[in-house]
Short mmCIF file of all heavy atoms in Angstrom, two decimals:
data_model
loop_
_atom_site.label_atom_id
_atom_site.label_comp_id
_atom_site.label_asym_id
_atom_site.label_seq_id
_atom_site.Cartn_x
_atom_site.Cartn_y
_atom_site.Cartn_z
N THR A 40 -11.81 3.65 -23.02
CA THR A 40 -11.11 4.47 -22.03
C THR A 40 -10.73 3.67 -20.80
O THR A 40 -11.46 2.77 -20.38
CB THR A 40 -11.99 5.66 -21.62
OG1 THR A 40 -13.30 5.19 -21.29
CG2 THR A 40 -12.10 6.66 -22.76
N PHE A 41 -9.59 4.04 -20.20
CA PHE A 41 -9.02 3.28 -19.09
C PHE A 41 -8.37 4.26 -18.12
O PHE A 41 -7.56 5.09 -18.51
CB PHE A 41 -7.97 2.30 -19.63
CG PHE A 41 -7.26 1.50 -18.58
CD1 PHE A 41 -7.86 0.41 -17.97
CD2 PHE A 41 -5.96 1.83 -18.20
CE1 PHE A 41 -7.18 -0.34 -17.01
CE2 PHE A 41 -5.27 1.09 -17.25
CZ PHE A 41 -5.88 0.01 -16.65
N TRP A 42 -8.77 4.17 -16.85
CA TRP A 42 -8.16 5.00 -15.80
C TRP A 42 -7.32 4.13 -14.88
O TRP A 42 -7.74 3.03 -14.51
CB TRP A 42 -9.24 5.67 -14.95
CG TRP A 42 -10.07 6.70 -15.66
CD1 TRP A 42 -9.96 7.13 -16.95
CD2 TRP A 42 -11.19 7.42 -15.09
NE1 TRP A 42 -10.91 8.07 -17.23
CE2 TRP A 42 -11.68 8.26 -16.12
CE3 TRP A 42 -11.79 7.42 -13.85
CZ2 TRP A 42 -12.77 9.12 -15.91
CZ3 TRP A 42 -12.88 8.26 -13.64
CH2 TRP A 42 -13.35 9.11 -14.64
N ASP A 43 -6.17 4.63 -14.48
CA ASP A 43 -5.37 3.92 -13.48
C ASP A 43 -4.70 4.90 -12.53
O ASP A 43 -4.56 6.09 -12.84
CB ASP A 43 -4.36 2.97 -14.15
CG ASP A 43 -3.18 3.67 -14.81
OD1 ASP A 43 -2.58 4.57 -14.20
OD2 ASP A 43 -2.82 3.30 -15.95
N PRO A 44 -4.27 4.42 -11.35
CA PRO A 44 -3.65 5.29 -10.35
C PRO A 44 -2.13 5.24 -10.38
O PRO A 44 -1.47 5.26 -9.34
CB PRO A 44 -4.19 4.72 -9.03
CG PRO A 44 -4.25 3.24 -9.31
CD PRO A 44 -4.57 3.09 -10.77
N TYR A 45 -1.56 5.17 -11.58
CA TYR A 45 -0.11 5.06 -11.73
C TYR A 45 0.45 6.24 -12.53
O TYR A 45 1.02 6.06 -13.61
CB TYR A 45 0.27 3.76 -12.42
CG TYR A 45 -0.26 2.49 -11.80
CD1 TYR A 45 -0.59 1.40 -12.60
CD2 TYR A 45 -0.43 2.37 -10.43
CE1 TYR A 45 -1.06 0.23 -12.04
CE2 TYR A 45 -0.92 1.20 -9.86
CZ TYR A 45 -1.24 0.13 -10.67
OH TYR A 45 -1.71 -1.02 -10.13
N PRO A 46 0.31 7.46 -12.03
CA PRO A 46 0.83 8.61 -12.79
C PRO A 46 2.35 8.61 -12.92
O PRO A 46 2.91 9.35 -13.72
CB PRO A 46 0.34 9.82 -11.98
CG PRO A 46 0.14 9.29 -10.59
CD PRO A 46 -0.33 7.88 -10.77
N GLN A 47 3.00 7.76 -12.12
CA GLN A 47 4.46 7.69 -12.21
C GLN A 47 4.93 7.01 -13.49
O GLN A 47 6.11 7.09 -13.84
CB GLN A 47 5.04 6.95 -10.99
CG GLN A 47 4.76 5.45 -10.92
CD GLN A 47 3.47 5.10 -10.19
OE1 GLN A 47 2.50 5.87 -10.26
NE2 GLN A 47 3.45 3.97 -9.52
N PHE A 48 4.02 6.36 -14.20
CA PHE A 48 4.38 5.68 -15.44
C PHE A 48 3.86 6.47 -16.64
O PHE A 48 2.64 6.63 -16.80
CB PHE A 48 3.79 4.26 -15.47
CG PHE A 48 4.29 3.36 -14.38
CD1 PHE A 48 3.40 2.60 -13.64
CD2 PHE A 48 5.64 3.27 -14.08
CE1 PHE A 48 3.85 1.76 -12.62
CE2 PHE A 48 6.09 2.45 -13.06
CZ PHE A 48 5.21 1.70 -12.33
N ASP A 49 4.79 6.97 -17.48
CA ASP A 49 4.35 7.67 -18.68
C ASP A 49 4.27 6.70 -19.85
O ASP A 49 4.43 5.49 -19.68
CB ASP A 49 5.28 8.86 -18.99
CG ASP A 49 6.72 8.44 -19.28
OD1 ASP A 49 6.96 7.29 -19.72
OD2 ASP A 49 7.62 9.28 -19.08
N SER A 50 4.02 7.22 -21.03
CA SER A 50 3.77 6.37 -22.19
C SER A 50 4.96 5.52 -22.60
O SER A 50 4.79 4.54 -23.34
CB SER A 50 3.33 7.23 -23.38
OG SER A 50 4.35 8.18 -23.70
N SER A 51 6.14 5.87 -22.11
CA SER A 51 7.34 5.09 -22.47
C SER A 51 7.57 3.90 -21.54
O SER A 51 8.43 3.05 -21.82
CB SER A 51 8.58 5.99 -22.45
OG SER A 51 8.86 6.43 -21.12
N ASP A 52 6.81 3.83 -20.45
CA ASP A 52 7.03 2.77 -19.47
C ASP A 52 6.33 1.47 -19.89
O ASP A 52 5.37 1.47 -20.67
CB ASP A 52 6.52 3.20 -18.09
CG ASP A 52 7.46 4.16 -17.40
OD1 ASP A 52 8.60 3.77 -17.12
OD2 ASP A 52 7.04 5.31 -17.14
N ALA A 53 6.82 0.36 -19.32
CA ALA A 53 6.31 -0.96 -19.68
C ALA A 53 4.82 -1.08 -19.38
O ALA A 53 4.07 -1.70 -20.16
CB ALA A 53 7.09 -2.04 -18.93
N TRP A 54 4.37 -0.48 -18.26
CA TRP A 54 2.95 -0.59 -17.91
C TRP A 54 2.07 0.07 -18.98
O TRP A 54 1.09 -0.50 -19.44
CB TRP A 54 2.68 0.03 -16.54
CG TRP A 54 1.22 0.21 -16.25
CD1 TRP A 54 0.52 1.37 -16.19
CD2 TRP A 54 0.25 -0.83 -16.03
NE1 TRP A 54 -0.81 1.14 -15.93
CE2 TRP A 54 -1.00 -0.20 -15.83
CE3 TRP A 54 0.32 -2.21 -15.97
CZ2 TRP A 54 -2.17 -0.92 -15.58
CZ3 TRP A 54 -0.85 -2.94 -15.72
CH2 TRP A 54 -2.08 -2.28 -15.53
N ALA A 55 2.42 1.28 -19.38
CA ALA A 55 1.64 2.00 -20.38
C ALA A 55 1.63 1.24 -21.71
O ALA A 55 0.60 1.19 -22.41
CB ALA A 55 2.18 3.40 -20.57
N LYS A 56 2.76 0.66 -22.05
CA LYS A 56 2.84 -0.10 -23.30
C LYS A 56 1.97 -1.35 -23.24
O LYS A 56 1.34 -1.73 -24.23
CB LYS A 56 4.30 -0.49 -23.59
CG LYS A 56 5.17 0.71 -23.96
CD LYS A 56 6.62 0.30 -24.19
CE LYS A 56 7.47 1.50 -24.57
NZ LYS A 56 8.90 1.12 -24.75
N LEU A 57 1.90 -1.99 -22.05
CA LEU A 57 1.04 -3.15 -21.89
C LEU A 57 -0.43 -2.76 -22.07
O LEU A 57 -1.19 -3.45 -22.75
CB LEU A 57 1.26 -3.79 -20.52
CG LEU A 57 0.28 -4.92 -20.15
CD1 LEU A 57 0.41 -6.09 -21.13
CD2 LEU A 57 0.51 -5.39 -18.71
N VAL A 58 -0.83 -1.66 -21.44
CA VAL A 58 -2.21 -1.20 -21.56
C VAL A 58 -2.57 -0.98 -23.02
O VAL A 58 -3.60 -1.44 -23.51
CB VAL A 58 -2.42 0.10 -20.74
CG1 VAL A 58 -3.79 0.71 -21.04
CG2 VAL A 58 -2.29 -0.18 -19.25
N ALA A 59 -1.69 -0.29 -23.74
CA ALA A 59 -1.95 -0.02 -25.15
C ALA A 59 -2.03 -1.31 -25.97
O ALA A 59 -2.91 -1.46 -26.83
CB ALA A 59 -0.85 0.89 -25.71
N SER A 60 -1.13 -2.24 -25.67
CA SER A 60 -1.12 -3.49 -26.44
C SER A 60 -2.37 -4.34 -26.17
O SER A 60 -2.86 -5.02 -27.07
CB SER A 60 0.14 -4.31 -26.12
OG SER A 60 0.10 -4.84 -24.81
N CYS A 61 -2.89 -4.27 -24.94
CA CYS A 61 -4.11 -5.02 -24.64
C CYS A 61 -5.30 -4.45 -25.41
O CYS A 61 -6.20 -5.19 -25.82
CB CYS A 61 -4.38 -5.03 -23.13
SG CYS A 61 -3.28 -6.15 -22.21
N GLY A 62 -5.31 -3.14 -25.61
CA GLY A 62 -6.34 -2.54 -26.44
C GLY A 62 -6.21 -3.00 -27.88
O GLY A 62 -7.20 -3.39 -28.51
N THR A 63 -4.99 -3.00 -28.38
CA THR A 63 -4.74 -3.43 -29.75
C THR A 63 -5.19 -4.87 -29.97
O THR A 63 -5.83 -5.19 -30.97
CB THR A 63 -3.25 -3.28 -30.10
OG1 THR A 63 -2.87 -1.90 -29.95
CG2 THR A 63 -2.96 -3.74 -31.52
N GLN A 64 -4.84 -5.74 -29.00
CA GLN A 64 -5.22 -7.15 -29.11
C GLN A 64 -6.74 -7.32 -29.11
O GLN A 64 -7.27 -8.27 -29.70
CB GLN A 64 -4.60 -7.96 -27.98
CG GLN A 64 -3.10 -8.15 -28.09
CD GLN A 64 -2.53 -8.94 -26.93
OE1 GLN A 64 -3.10 -9.94 -26.51
NE2 GLN A 64 -1.39 -8.50 -26.39
N ALA A 65 -7.45 -6.39 -28.44
CA ALA A 65 -8.91 -6.46 -28.41
C ALA A 65 -9.54 -5.76 -29.60
O ALA A 65 -10.78 -5.72 -29.72
CB ALA A 65 -9.42 -5.83 -27.11
N GLY A 66 -8.70 -5.20 -30.47
CA GLY A 66 -9.20 -4.57 -31.69
C GLY A 66 -9.64 -3.13 -31.53
O GLY A 66 -10.38 -2.61 -32.38
N VAL A 67 -9.18 -2.47 -30.46
CA VAL A 67 -9.56 -1.08 -30.23
C VAL A 67 -8.35 -0.26 -29.81
O VAL A 67 -7.28 -0.80 -29.53
CB VAL A 67 -10.64 -0.97 -29.11
CG1 VAL A 67 -11.89 -1.73 -29.50
CG2 VAL A 67 -10.10 -1.47 -27.76
N THR A 68 -8.52 1.03 -29.77
CA THR A 68 -7.52 1.92 -29.19
C THR A 68 -7.91 2.15 -27.73
O THR A 68 -9.04 2.56 -27.45
CB THR A 68 -7.47 3.27 -29.93
OG1 THR A 68 -7.08 3.05 -31.28
CG2 THR A 68 -6.48 4.21 -29.26
N LEU A 69 -7.01 1.85 -26.82
CA LEU A 69 -7.30 2.01 -25.39
C LEU A 69 -6.63 3.28 -24.90
O LEU A 69 -5.41 3.36 -24.81
CB LEU A 69 -6.80 0.79 -24.61
CG LEU A 69 -7.23 0.69 -23.14
CD1 LEU A 69 -8.75 0.75 -23.02
CD2 LEU A 69 -6.72 -0.61 -22.52
N LYS A 70 -7.44 4.29 -24.60
CA LYS A 70 -6.94 5.58 -24.16
C LYS A 70 -6.76 5.57 -22.64
O LYS A 70 -7.73 5.45 -21.90
CB LYS A 70 -7.89 6.70 -24.57
CG LYS A 70 -7.40 8.08 -24.18
CD LYS A 70 -8.41 9.16 -24.58
CE LYS A 70 -7.94 10.54 -24.12
NZ LYS A 70 -8.94 11.58 -24.46
N ARG A 71 -5.53 5.69 -22.20
CA ARG A 71 -5.21 5.61 -20.77
C ARG A 71 -5.12 7.01 -20.16
O ARG A 71 -4.48 7.91 -20.71
CB ARG A 71 -3.87 4.90 -20.59
CG ARG A 71 -3.34 4.91 -19.17
CD ARG A 71 -1.99 4.20 -19.06
NE ARG A 71 -1.45 4.33 -17.71
CZ ARG A 71 -0.37 5.05 -17.38
NH1 ARG A 71 0.30 5.70 -18.31
NH2 ARG A 71 0.02 5.11 -16.13
N THR A 72 -5.77 7.16 -18.99
CA THR A 72 -5.64 8.38 -18.20
C THR A 72 -5.13 7.98 -16.81
O THR A 72 -5.76 7.15 -16.13
CB THR A 72 -6.98 9.12 -18.06
OG1 THR A 72 -7.46 9.46 -19.36
CG2 THR A 72 -6.81 10.39 -17.23
N ALA A 73 -4.00 8.52 -16.39
CA ALA A 73 -3.40 8.19 -15.09
C ALA A 73 -3.55 9.35 -14.12
O ALA A 73 -3.38 10.52 -14.51
CB ALA A 73 -1.93 7.85 -15.27
N MET A 74 -3.90 9.06 -12.90
CA MET A 74 -4.03 10.07 -11.85
C MET A 74 -3.77 9.41 -10.51
O MET A 74 -3.77 8.18 -10.42
CB MET A 74 -5.43 10.69 -11.89
CG MET A 74 -6.56 9.69 -11.65
SD MET A 74 -8.19 10.29 -12.18
CE MET A 74 -8.20 9.70 -13.88
N ASP A 75 -3.52 10.19 -9.47
CA ASP A 75 -3.27 9.54 -8.19
C ASP A 75 -4.59 8.98 -7.64
O ASP A 75 -5.67 9.30 -8.12
CB ASP A 75 -2.56 10.45 -7.19
CG ASP A 75 -3.41 11.60 -6.64
OD1 ASP A 75 -4.62 11.41 -6.45
OD2 ASP A 75 -2.86 12.67 -6.41
N THR A 76 -4.48 8.13 -6.65
CA THR A 76 -5.63 7.37 -6.18
C THR A 76 -6.77 8.25 -5.68
O THR A 76 -7.94 7.99 -5.98
CB THR A 76 -5.21 6.41 -5.06
OG1 THR A 76 -4.37 5.42 -5.61
CG2 THR A 76 -6.40 5.71 -4.44
N THR A 77 -6.44 9.27 -4.91
CA THR A 77 -7.50 10.14 -4.38
C THR A 77 -8.27 10.79 -5.51
O THR A 77 -9.51 10.85 -5.50
CB THR A 77 -6.90 11.21 -3.46
OG1 THR A 77 -6.20 10.57 -2.39
CG2 THR A 77 -7.99 12.09 -2.87
N ASP A 78 -7.55 11.30 -6.51
CA ASP A 78 -8.22 11.92 -7.66
C ASP A 78 -9.10 10.90 -8.39
O ASP A 78 -10.23 11.20 -8.79
CB ASP A 78 -7.19 12.50 -8.64
CG ASP A 78 -6.59 13.80 -8.15
OD1 ASP A 78 -7.16 14.40 -7.23
OD2 ASP A 78 -5.54 14.20 -8.69
N LEU A 79 -8.56 9.70 -8.58
CA LEU A 79 -9.32 8.68 -9.30
C LEU A 79 -10.60 8.32 -8.55
O LEU A 79 -11.68 8.22 -9.14
CB LEU A 79 -8.45 7.45 -9.53
CG LEU A 79 -9.02 6.40 -10.52
CD1 LEU A 79 -7.87 5.63 -11.18
CD2 LEU A 79 -9.94 5.41 -9.83
N ASN A 80 -10.47 8.15 -7.24
CA ASN A 80 -11.66 7.82 -6.44
C ASN A 80 -12.73 8.90 -6.56
O ASN A 80 -13.91 8.61 -6.78
CB ASN A 80 -11.27 7.65 -4.97
CG ASN A 80 -10.39 6.44 -4.72
OD1 ASN A 80 -10.21 5.60 -5.59
ND2 ASN A 80 -9.85 6.34 -3.52
N ASN A 81 -12.31 10.15 -6.40
CA ASN A 81 -13.26 11.25 -6.48
C ASN A 81 -13.89 11.36 -7.86
O ASN A 81 -15.11 11.54 -8.00
CB ASN A 81 -12.57 12.57 -6.12
CG ASN A 81 -12.14 12.65 -4.67
OD1 ASN A 81 -12.61 11.88 -3.84
ND2 ASN A 81 -11.24 13.56 -4.37
N LYS A 82 -13.07 11.23 -8.90
CA LYS A 82 -13.58 11.37 -10.26
C LYS A 82 -14.49 10.20 -10.64
O LYS A 82 -15.44 10.37 -11.41
CB LYS A 82 -12.42 11.49 -11.24
CG LYS A 82 -11.72 12.84 -11.15
CD LYS A 82 -10.54 12.94 -12.12
CE LYS A 82 -9.87 14.31 -12.00
NZ LYS A 82 -8.69 14.43 -12.89
N ALA A 83 -14.22 9.03 -10.08
CA ALA A 83 -15.08 7.88 -10.37
C ALA A 83 -16.48 8.12 -9.84
O ALA A 83 -17.49 7.84 -10.52
CB ALA A 83 -14.49 6.61 -9.76
N LEU A 84 -16.58 8.64 -8.62
CA LEU A 84 -17.90 8.91 -8.05
C LEU A 84 -18.63 10.01 -8.82
O LEU A 84 -19.82 9.91 -9.09
CB LEU A 84 -17.75 9.30 -6.57
CG LEU A 84 -17.33 8.15 -5.65
CD1 LEU A 84 -16.97 8.70 -4.26
CD2 LEU A 84 -18.43 7.11 -5.53
N LEU A 85 -17.90 11.04 -9.20
CA LEU A 85 -18.52 12.11 -9.97
C LEU A 85 -18.91 11.64 -11.37
O LEU A 85 -19.97 12.01 -11.89
CB LEU A 85 -17.55 13.30 -10.06
CG LEU A 85 -17.32 14.05 -8.75
CD1 LEU A 85 -16.21 15.08 -8.90
CD2 LEU A 85 -18.61 14.72 -8.26
N ALA A 86 -18.07 10.80 -11.97
CA ALA A 86 -18.38 10.28 -13.30
C ALA A 86 -19.61 9.39 -13.25
O ALA A 86 -20.41 9.36 -14.20
CB ALA A 86 -17.18 9.50 -13.85
N GLY A 87 -19.79 8.66 -12.15
CA GLY A 87 -20.99 7.86 -11.99
C GLY A 87 -22.23 8.73 -11.95
O GLY A 87 -23.28 8.38 -12.50
N GLN A 88 -22.12 9.88 -11.32
CA GLN A 88 -23.24 10.82 -11.23
C GLN A 88 -23.55 11.42 -12.60
O GLN A 88 -24.71 11.62 -12.97
CB GLN A 88 -22.88 11.94 -10.25
CG GLN A 88 -23.96 13.01 -10.07
CD GLN A 88 -23.46 14.16 -9.22
OE1 GLN A 88 -22.29 14.54 -9.31
NE2 GLN A 88 -24.33 14.71 -8.40
N GLN A 89 -22.50 11.67 -13.37
CA GLN A 89 -22.64 12.37 -14.64
C GLN A 89 -22.83 11.45 -15.84
O GLN A 89 -23.07 11.91 -16.95
CB GLN A 89 -21.41 13.26 -14.86
CG GLN A 89 -21.24 14.34 -13.82
CD GLN A 89 -19.85 14.96 -13.81
OE1 GLN A 89 -18.95 14.51 -14.53
NE2 GLN A 89 -19.67 15.99 -12.99
N GLY A 90 -22.71 10.13 -15.62
CA GLY A 90 -22.85 9.20 -16.72
C GLY A 90 -21.67 9.22 -17.67
O GLY A 90 -21.82 9.01 -18.88
N SER A 91 -20.46 9.47 -17.13
CA SER A 91 -19.27 9.58 -17.98
C SER A 91 -18.15 8.66 -17.50
O SER A 91 -16.98 9.02 -17.54
CB SER A 91 -18.78 11.03 -18.01
OG SER A 91 -18.50 11.49 -16.69
N LEU A 92 -18.53 7.49 -17.04
CA LEU A 92 -17.53 6.54 -16.53
C LEU A 92 -16.68 5.98 -17.67
O LEU A 92 -17.15 5.84 -18.81
CB LEU A 92 -18.23 5.38 -15.82
CG LEU A 92 -18.85 5.71 -14.46
CD1 LEU A 92 -19.90 4.69 -14.10
CD2 LEU A 92 -17.76 5.79 -13.40
N PRO A 93 -15.43 5.63 -17.38
CA PRO A 93 -14.59 5.01 -18.39
C PRO A 93 -15.02 3.56 -18.61
O PRO A 93 -15.86 3.03 -17.87
CB PRO A 93 -13.19 5.07 -17.78
CG PRO A 93 -13.44 4.99 -16.32
CD PRO A 93 -14.72 5.77 -16.10
N ASP A 94 -14.45 2.92 -19.61
CA ASP A 94 -14.76 1.51 -19.86
C ASP A 94 -14.15 0.61 -18.79
O ASP A 94 -14.77 -0.38 -18.38
CB ASP A 94 -14.24 1.09 -21.24
CG ASP A 94 -15.05 1.72 -22.35
OD1 ASP A 94 -16.16 1.24 -22.60
OD2 ASP A 94 -14.57 2.70 -22.95
N LEU A 95 -12.94 0.93 -18.36
CA LEU A 95 -12.26 0.14 -17.33
C LEU A 95 -11.55 1.08 -16.36
O LEU A 95 -11.09 2.17 -16.75
CB LEU A 95 -11.22 -0.82 -17.95
CG LEU A 95 -11.76 -1.87 -18.92
CD1 LEU A 95 -11.45 -1.44 -20.35
CD2 LEU A 95 -11.14 -3.24 -18.63
N MET A 96 -11.43 0.64 -15.11
CA MET A 96 -10.72 1.41 -14.09
C MET A 96 -9.87 0.48 -13.24
O MET A 96 -10.30 -0.64 -12.91
CB MET A 96 -11.68 2.13 -13.15
CG MET A 96 -12.47 3.27 -13.73
SD MET A 96 -13.32 4.25 -12.44
CE MET A 96 -14.42 3.04 -11.72
N MET A 97 -8.71 0.96 -12.85
CA MET A 97 -7.91 0.30 -11.81
C MET A 97 -8.27 0.97 -10.50
O MET A 97 -8.10 2.19 -10.36
CB MET A 97 -6.42 0.47 -12.09
CG MET A 97 -5.93 -0.27 -13.31
SD MET A 97 -5.69 -2.02 -12.98
CE MET A 97 -4.34 -1.96 -11.82
N VAL A 98 -8.78 0.19 -9.54
CA VAL A 98 -9.32 0.75 -8.31
C VAL A 98 -8.58 0.20 -7.09
O VAL A 98 -8.37 -1.01 -6.98
CB VAL A 98 -10.83 0.43 -8.19
CG1 VAL A 98 -11.40 0.98 -6.89
CG2 VAL A 98 -11.58 1.00 -9.38
N ASP A 99 -8.19 1.09 -6.18
CA ASP A 99 -7.56 0.68 -4.92
C ASP A 99 -8.53 -0.23 -4.17
O ASP A 99 -9.73 0.07 -4.07
CB ASP A 99 -7.25 1.92 -4.10
CG ASP A 99 -6.36 1.64 -2.90
OD1 ASP A 99 -5.68 0.60 -2.88
OD2 ASP A 99 -6.35 2.48 -1.97
N ASN A 100 -8.04 -1.36 -3.66
CA ASN A 100 -8.97 -2.40 -3.20
C ASN A 100 -9.97 -1.96 -2.12
O ASN A 100 -11.11 -2.42 -2.15
CB ASN A 100 -8.22 -3.69 -2.82
CG ASN A 100 -7.47 -3.64 -1.52
OD1 ASN A 100 -8.06 -3.58 -0.46
ND2 ASN A 100 -6.14 -3.70 -1.59
#
Side-chain angles (χ1 to χ4, degrees):
T40 49
F41 177 78
W42 293 358
D43 73 46
Y45 305 147
Q47 70 270 33
F48 298 133
D49 62 26
S50 60
S51 66
D52 283 298
W54 168 251
K56 290 178 179 178
L57 172 62
V58 171
S60 70
C61 285
T63 300
Q64 289 179 43
V67 299
T68 298
L69 189 56
K70 182 181 177 182
R71 172 181 175 249
T72 301
M74 61 197 90
D75 71 35
T76 293
T77 302
D78 284 344
L79 192 152
N80 293 350
N81 292 343
K82 288 179 180 178
L84 290 170
L85 290 172
Q88 180 187 36
Q89 297 164 355
S91 57
L92 288 159
D94 289 283
L95 299 103
M96 290 192 298
M97 292 281 294
V98 179
D99 191 20
N100 75 69

